[in-house]
Structure formats: C-alpha cells, structure tokens
Amino acid sequence: MKILMVTPELVPLVKVGGLADVVGALSKSLSLLGHEVRIVLPKYAGLRRVEDAQPMKDPLIVHLGGHEAYARIWNCTLPDSDVVCHLLEHNQLYDSPSVYRGPSGDEADNAQRFTFLSRAAIDLCYQTEWIPDVVHCHDWPTGLVPLYLNTTEADRPMGQAASLLTLHNVQHQGWFHRNVVDYSGLPQHVFRPDGLESMGQANFLKGGIYHSTKITTVSPTYAAEIQVADGGHGLHNLLHNRSADLVGVINGVDTDEWDPARDELLPARFSADNLSGKQICKARLQEAFGLEVAPEIPLFTVVSRLVEQKGLDLLVAISDRLMSEMAIQIAVLGTGETALEEAFTALSQRHRGRFGSFIGFDNELAHLAAAGADSLLMPSRFEPCGLSQLYAMLYGAPPVVRATGGLVDTVENYSESHSTGTGFTFTDPSPEALFDTIGWACSTYYDRPGDFQQLQQNGMRKDFSWALSAGTYESIYEQAMLSRAAAFVGQKKV
C-alpha cells in the first residue's frame, strides 16, 4: 500500500508528546512490512537539523480559498528507514520553535497553520504524482484532510484515497472562528452540526471524525471511555455513533531506541536475565538528581508533561507525607504547568537528597530515568495510551498507575498470592489511593524482594514492539480502502 502520514510532530525531528513517537515508529514498522510510506509535516524553526534534507526544485502551489499560496518542500528520509519525509517550509506560518504556537505567539494562528498543512499535503501528492491508497491523519491539526477528500477532491484522484484519523487525545480539538472555512477553500456546507460546526465555531477534530473513513484511538479502553460523557469532551455522542468504524490499537515501542540490553545512552546495559547493570544506572540517576546514592532505597521516577491530566497534583499533595513516613526517593523529569513546576522545585529544596526534580526535557536523562528507577509513577486522570509505562516495564521499573485508558490495557496488576503482574494499579483518582499504592509498591520492594524482581522480569519479557500493532493497522487500512471503494461504486450508481 501507499500510505501518507500527515502529522504536526515526528520523532526524531520534533516532539511535544507521544504522538511524535507513534508516527515515527509506526511509519518505520509499516515500511519494513513492505509498504511505501511518506510523511508530511511543517518545517518549524525548532526542527532538528536534518543532514540529508534537499529542497525540491519547484515551489509547492497550495490551493486555498480564493487564492494560491506557495511553500518550499524539503525532502529527507526518516533515520534508519526508507520512509520519505516532506518538510513544509513557510516562514510566515512555521517560523517558530513551537509546534502549537505560531511566529506571532498567538494560538489563533493555528487555524491557518494547520489548514495550510492539510491542504498542502494533498497538493503535494498531485505535484509529485504520487497518489496514496490511505491518508493517515493524526489528531486535530490534520482534521481537515478528510473534509478535503470528501468535498473538493471527491471527483479527483485524491478523492479515492481512504482516510484514517487517529485520536491521540480527544481533549484537544482545535476550535477556531468560522472564517477558517473561507481561508481553507472548503465548501460552506461543511460548516454544519453534522460536520465542522460546534457551538458556532469550527472544530477541526469534530469535522475529521465525521468525514474520516475509519477512526482509531491508541488503546481499546480509551476507545470505550471517549464514547461516554466523562471521557468524550463533548464528542461522546458522535464517537458512539461512529463506533462501528472506531478501533483502539495499543501503541508500540521503537525497540531500536528503547532496549536496555542495547541502549547506548546508558552507563551500563542489562536484561531480564542479568539485572546487574540496573544498579549502576540507579546510582547514576541518583547522582543526576542530587539524591543520596543508596542502592537499598526504592527510587520512584516521574517522566511526564507536568499537567493536570497526568494526576501529578495528587503526588504533590502527598509528597511531604511520603518523605516523612516512607524510606523512598522520588525523581521528577518534565515540564508543563507553572504551578506544578514550582511545586516540584519546592519539594526538591525541602527534601534535599531524597526528592529531586529537573524542569525541562532531556532524552538521555529520560532513558536513564527508566533504567535507574525501581518504579515509575503515572497517576493519570485519563491516559489515551501512554508510552512511559511501556518504557518503564521494558527497563525493569514496575509502574504505579491509575487503572484508566491505555494504562489498564498494558499494566497487569500485581497479585501477591500468585506473584504475577507487571506493576501496581489503583482506581480512585485521589491522593489517598496514590499514597496507599506507593506504599504497596514499597512494601513489596522491602518485604517481598523475590516478587519484586519477578515483576521486573515479567515486564521486561513483554513484547511491546510495533510488530503486532503495525499488523493491526495494515488490516484497518485494508478495511478503509474497501469502504472507500464501495462508497465510490455507490456514488456512480446514483
């Protein structure tokens, strides 16, 4: 199959969250299965330098509402793959180090920035004379692509391509003034309740859900959660109505990058059969966060965006008590909401040697945090899939997670009676439940070390590679192509 990925971010070029990891790893896996995969994304000012990037000779003409715009396309390959990446250069729109804020710093710029991305992806296919079988769109920034395919492209070659929209996080939907329809060149009739319109505004994600051939989310449980009011963020009825075309597919892990037995970013490597190198990583992690180098004390880590969704305010609420009542250490790596950043910084100052924080993101430190941790803390209020818990299990750090979304789909709760499981789960999103579950993990570490090691080895022996998930996507693409073909036959009969 010819598969076009349209995305706002992509590892290793530019990353905000797990979406970037998914697009990069899935694209490589699909390429290894024999498919021809291409990726389109903006060339932001903060994009990592790409050594092999070469500009296309001719500018790309992008057909918008009432006018044509121009962009420069840079072509490169995704590292260690045959996947072609098309980088979309347009300084007025993308000359910003931020993925989701334009050069003016105004988030309203995103209406133009991501409309342009959606339209440019289609026009690029025509200019390169490469028509995909499937266009795989990722989250609200690409939500207009299915609308274009169903309207302005309906009688043209791109209109025969099936569309798949992956919902990485339904909380973020892309709300803008209705005049974006004029800018886009889409017909005015798309701005209606069974389309792009929502409470008088344009909702990119809603429009994409209505018009996509198929829809996926990043875990089966999250696919169910977003069909009810508490989890759908206003789109639950629409998602329930499209449930026949909605599939939850667990994210995988790029095992070329995340493998403790081969990870060159670690001071020592280790495996499920030989965990000795993990103690070296733990000592280095303790040093990096200014913690006492104490191999006997359990070290819990957080590697996350510091936002309310991740439930980290629950950890802030109990951290002083944890420090006074339990012999543990905590290391926090992440950046996000100012209040959480300041709270973790203050905890580091109050509990020097036992609580450490690094406000920011560092890839090498993230690998060390997985390798050196005894356990990962991930008390999310909701979690579409999550990758940190997968990395933690592969690196022998049984996670403490709330039983929601992809966390409950991937972390098997510890059974004391059977010595089974890969981590520790709790249900109630409260400080008390998190405190008790951390205590449970601590008591297992101290009182049942054999069980704790079994949990480590259980997680490390799990197959979280993209092989299975990529095969599932193959099947979904095939179904989408059949649905699209049937729709065209029906149109011709009419």
Side-chain angles (χ1 to χ4, degrees):
M1 287 178 277
K2 293 180 178 179
I3 303 163
L4 178 66
M5 298 277 181
V6 187
T7 180
E9 47 183 291
L10 171 69
V11 160
L13 303 183
V14 59
K15 174 179 175 175
V16 175
L19 186 159
D21 297 274
V22 170
V23 178
L26 175 58
S27 297
K28 290 200 296 185
S29 295
L30 290 167
S31 178
L32 289 172
L33 290 172
H35 304 293
E36 187 176 353
V37 184
R38 299 188 181 185
I39 304 174
V40 178
L41 76 155
K43 188 177 185 294
Y44 309 102
L47 198 75
R48 177 177 170 181
R49 182 178 176 82
V50 183
E51 298 296 336
D52 68 336
Q54 296 294 327
M56 284 178 54
K57 179 180 178 181
D58 298 320
L60 174 66
I61 302 173
V62 182
H63 298 88
L64 296 164
H67 72 286
E68 294 179 343
Y70 298 87
R72 191 181 196 188
I73 301 296
W74 293 77
N75 297 329
C76 63
T77 55
L78 197 63
D80 303 316
S81 79
D82 295 324
V83 177
V84 175
C85 299
H86 301 293
L87 310 179
L88 183 65
E89 180 181 1
H90 190 293
N91 290 339
Q92 184 179 348
L93 295 174
Y94 305 124
D95 191 22
S96 166
S98 172
V99 171
Y100 298 109
R101 290 180 70 87
S104 72
D106 185 350
E107 291 187 12
D109 287 356
N110 284 341
Q112 287 73 42
R113 296 169 78 227
F114 293 115
T115 297
F116 192 88
L117 170 63
S118 297
R119 182 67 244 183
I122 293 170
D123 287 326
L124 179 61
C125 292
Y126 287 123
Q127 183 156 321
T128 57
E129 299 181 346
W130 186 84
I131 305 299
D133 298 304
V134 179
V135 183
H136 190 158
C137 309
H138 294 271
D139 261 354
W140 70 263
T142 63
L144 294 191
V145 173
L147 278 78
Y148 280 119
L149 297 181
N150 284 357
T151 57
T152 62
E153 302 306 308
D155 296 323
R156 304 182 70 209
M158 280 296 292
Q160 297 184 44
S163 59
L164 174 68
L165 176 63
T166 294
L167 311 176
H168 295 266
N169 190 334
V170 176
Q171 182 180 29
H172 306 293
Q173 300 180 11
W175 294 77
F176 304 106
H177 191 278
R178 64 174 298 166
N179 62 16
V180 71
V181 179
D182 299 324
Y183 175 79
S184 71
L186 287 164
Q188 289 295 321
H189 67 71
V190 302
F191 191 77
R192 62 191 192 193
D194 58 342
L196 191 62
E197 188 271 336
S198 185
M199 294 186 285
Q201 291 185 285
N203 182 320
F204 279 28
L205 192 66
K206 181 184 177 186
I209 292 170
Y210 260 108
H211 283 267
S212 292
T213 314
K214 296 289 182 181
I215 307 159
T216 64
T217 67
V218 289
S219 72
T221 295
Y222 188 61
E225 289 175 344
I226 60 177
Q227 295 182 54
V228 298
D230 288 345
H233 298 278
L235 297 178
H236 54 285
N237 288 328
L238 169 58
L239 289 162
H240 180 70
N241 289 338
R242 292 225 56 195
S243 60
D245 295 313
L246 173 62
V247 183
V249 185
I250 288 287
N251 285 340
V253 168
D254 185 346
T255 51
D256 288 336
E257 180 183 0
W258 293 92
D259 179 355
R262 298 183 292 137
D263 194 335
E264 295 182 356
L265 297 178
L266 303 181
R269 281 159 285 285
F270 55 94
S271 67
D273 297 322
N274 183 357
L275 290 165
S276 58
K278 189 169 176 66
Q279 284 301 319
I280 298 172
C281 294
K282 180 176 179 177
R284 185 69 60 86
L285 181 62
Q286 289 170 324
E287 292 171 354
F289 279 85
L291 305 175
E292 177 188 355
V293 178
E296 72 281 2
I297 296 177
L299 172 55
F300 292 78
T301 61
V302 172
V303 182
S304 175
R305 288 183 297 114
L306 307 183
V307 294
E308 182 184 11
Q309 174 206 330
K310 300 297 183 178
L312 295 174
D313 56 309
L314 307 179
L315 178 60
V316 170
I318 62 172
S319 285
D320 286 324
R321 185 182 170 199
L322 286 170
M323 293 294 104
S324 65
E325 297 185 19
M326 297 186 197
I328 65 172
Q329 295 177 333
I330 296 177
V332 177
L333 169 62
T335 182
E337 295 169 0
T338 301
L340 286 172
E341 291 182 352
E342 292 177 347
F344 285 125
T345 299
L347 283 164
S348 299
Q349 294 169 347
R350 285 202 299 275
H351 305 286
R352 294 184 185 276
R354 297 188 58 210
F355 196 112
S357 63
F358 180 94
I359 304 303
F361 183 78
D362 180 281
N363 187 50
E364 184 172 350
L365 199 54
H367 281 247
L368 184 62
D374 293 302
S375 181
L376 174 86
L377 299 177
M378 207 166 171
S380 303
R381 285 187 165 81
F382 70 92
E383 192 64 58
C385 180
L387 289 170
S388 293
Q389 85 278 12
L390 303 182
Y391 301 148
M393 286 186 283
L394 287 176
Y395 280 61
V400 171
V401 303
R402 182 166 173 261
T404 184
L407 300 179
V408 73
D409 287 337
T410 56
V411 180
E412 180 187 351
N413 198 27
Y414 167 49
S415 169
E416 292 187 24
S417 58
H418 297 91
S419 300
T420 58
T422 59
F424 306 87
T425 71
F426 65 99
T427 303
D428 183 29
S430 67
E432 294 77 15
L434 177 58
F435 182 89
D436 290 343
T437 310
I438 292 174
W440 183 26
C442 257
S443 69
T444 306
Y445 178 91
Y446 281 117
D447 302 332
R448 297 177 296 281
D451 278 14
F452 196 88
Q453 185 178 79
Q454 187 63 55
L455 290 178
Q456 291 178 298
Q457 293 172 324
N458 290 346
M460 295 181 76
R461 290 182 174 130
K462 287 282 188 179
D463 182 5
F464 293 123
S465 71
W466 267 104
L468 180 61
S469 297
T472 303
Y473 271 107
E474 274 188 312
S475 177
I476 296 170
Y477 293 152
E478 291 167 357
Q479 294 169 25
M481 290 165 60
L482 288 172
S483 295
R484 193 66 170 173
F488 268 86
V489 170
Q491 288 175 4
K492 289 178 180 178
K493 287 181 179 179
V494 173

